Amino acid sequence: MEELTSEKVKGYRISPAVIKRLPRYFRYLRELKEAGRMRISSGELSKMMNVTASQIRQDLNCFGGFGQQGYGYNVKYLYGKISEILGVDEGYRAIIIGAGHLGLALVGSPMFAKRGITLTALFDVAPSLVGTEFGSLHIYSTDRLADYIAQNRVDLAVLTLPRAYAKETAEKLAELGIAGILNFTNVELDLAHTNTAVQNVHIGDALMQLTYKMRAAQKPDDAEV
Amino acid sequence: MEELTSEKVKGYRISPAVIKRLPRYFRYLRELKEAGRMRISSGELSKMMNVTASQIRQDLNCFGGFGQQGYGYNVKYLYGKISEILGVDEGYRAIIIGAGHLGLALVGSPMFAKRGITLTALFDVAPSLVGTEFGSLHIYSTDRLADYIAQNRVDLAVLTLPRAYAKETAEKLAELGIAGILNFTNVELDLAHTNTAVQNVHIGDALMQLTYKMRAAQKPDDAEV
């Protein structure tokens, strides 16, 4: 996992810990904005998000966007500021490599569009898939990756291919100048020698947090030796 | 998101922050164990995981399993201890509700088996799917949920159905006594009034961490106002 670096806003440096929490603020602020809310207090946001109001004030105060004491945060301003820092305004374009069930599930999800990202193509090695369409996307042969990237803007690639091909594909994407890789393969990719950012998605970690809670509820004192 | 509660091991209380990091230690220790490693130093683990050695010592020392200074951690012992706390030893049994691409992707993934969890059935509403098999799993009608749970041990349910059905299905599962729900629907489920634990999976948050890194690399000073 790469370290997040800090960010300066209005002369304040935002710590990596705060940056890690920003995607969650982004989601809640987006919902508030869509619901037509103009302002929200740290107390109400605290209840919604189940974190302390003082944590929220600490996290968000460096962005500004809040009025006098008790008036709350300006939802639209804060959403805009966080969107900008998270790259939502950049109009990134993405491809998915691996048109198996996970790749196709991602095509069908609103996750990318909600974050300002346009999916432009799918890639796979299976002859039965290459040349077909899924949704509005064409499925290209993975052999055509370099050609496609030369001819089209591609900012990021999503890896949903079998883990045996993860490393070589990631190295190739880095060589081709792709700025980011969202890696679902559970192979820890090390592209520190390149300019390509990597984010690994570990769904299994969420599963473990769930089973931890289940076990703790069943056996609250069991671990006490 | 529910708060994680702390856990006591050998009289030490493990903080929720450490518990959140345990799934990651679990993954790395598992790989080391499979590679036949008996011991590992905090320094080497630090390099592998890209966190400081002192953080690792702080996180892991309360588990014991380490010898004298410089001798390193006992991989098998530590893996076993963390597995136990995370519920890997409980033999949990799981069902998946929603046999769309995401549900089928999860059936095909080794994620559950690697964490000691057995998938036993799929559920869907589509007449074209109900009664068919996927992999070794039968696809039941969602109408049969209560029957199935009455007749089979089910500890946790994975929600991969359309978000419009998330809330009612989760409430029903809680009524039926299911101990845990892994929620992929992006609907924030509130089951605090029940005994059912919920873990939401937000793949979009990982995507935002990636685009943050991409933007920060492109525009290192842009956010400085």
Side-chain angles (χ1 to χ4, degrees), chain A:
Chain A
M1 197 184 292
E2 288 173 55
E3 292 294 319
L4 292 168
T5 51
S6 56
E7 171 100 3
K8 273 188 186 173
V9 175
K10 292 197 173 183
Y12 292 84
R13 191 165 283 281
I14 306 175
S15 74
V18 177
I19 289 164
K20 268 198 176 169
R21 289 194 285 268
L22 287 186
R24 197 152 173 253
Y25 286 113
F26 172 84
R27 275 193 274 120
Y28 279 91
L29 288 165
R30 187 173 195 280
E31 279 184 21
L32 288 165
K33 192 175 127 301
E34 285 181 350
R37 285 290 298 274
M38 305 294 283
R39 297 200 156 258
I40 186 156
S41 67
S42 53
E44 197 183 344
L45 202 51
S46 155
K47 250 181 234 158
M48 281 177 70
M49 295 182 62
N50 200 13
V51 293
T52 66
S54 84
Q55 172 86 81
I56 286 176
R57 283 191 297 269
Q58 255 183 52
D59 283 355
L60 299 184
N61 281 0
C62 58
F63 296 105
F66 50 98
Q68 60 272 48
Q69 183 77 24
Y71 191 53
Y73 295 97
N74 180 321
V75 170
K76 199 177 157 192
Y77 174 89
L78 206 51
Y79 174 80
K81 198 74 211 163
I82 291 175
S83 295
E84 187 192 326
I85 290 174
L86 293 177
V88 176
D89 301 342
E90 302 291 324
Y92 287 134
R93 299 175 80 82
I95 58 174
I96 294 179
I97 306 179
H101 286 298
L102 182 57
L104 300 184
L106 294 175
V107 175
S109 131
M111 179 177 88
F112 294 92
K114 277 187 175 174
R115 288 163 181 82
I117 297 164
T118 308
L119 292 174
T120 66
L122 281 159
F123 290 83
D124 206 286
V125 293
S128 62
L129 293 174
V130 170
T132 67
E133 313 275 326
F134 183 80
S136 61
L137 299 185
H138 190 78
I139 305 179
Y140 294 91
S141 164
T142 307
D143 292 341
R144 299 270 326 272
L145 253 182
D147 286 352
Y148 185 88
I149 290 170
Q151 288 158 23
N152 298 276
R153 174 180 168 188
V154 180
D155 301 290
L156 69 99
V158 181
L159 292 192
T160 50
L161 39 66
R163 53 183 291 155
Y165 306 100
K167 197 170 177 308
E168 62 179 285
T169 307
E171 293 283 349
K172 191 175 174 185
L173 288 165
E175 269 171 41
L176 294 169
I178 297 301
I181 293 176
L182 189 67
N183 174 29
F184 282 88
T185 67
N186 282 319
V187 173
E188 295 281 338
L189 298 174
D190 182 8
L191 295 180
H193 58 293
T194 73
N195 294 317
T196 302
V198 177
Q199 183 69 42
N200 298 311
V201 184
H202 290 294
I203 295 172
D205 287 6
L207 178 60
M208 299 254 74
Q209 288 196 25
L210 176 64
T211 54
Y212 166 76
K213 289 179 200 166
M214 289 165 58
R215 180 182 163 284
Q218 283 175 309
K219 305 187 177 180
D221 298 318
D222 180 63
E224 204 166 343
V225 182

Side-chain angles (χ1 to χ4, degrees), chain B residues 139-155:
Chain B
I139 305 180
Y140 294 92
S141 163
T142 306
D143 292 341
R144 298 272 323 272
L145 252 183
D147 286 350
Y148 185 88
I149 291 169
Q151 288 157 24
N152 298 274
R153 174 180 167 188
V154 180
D155 302 289

Side-chain angles (χ1 to χ4, degrees), chain B residues 75-88:
Chain B
V75 170
K76 199 177 157 193
Y77 174 89
L78 206 50
Y79 174 80
K81 198 74 210 163
I82 291 174
S83 295
E84 186 192 327
I85 291 175
L86 293 177
V88 176

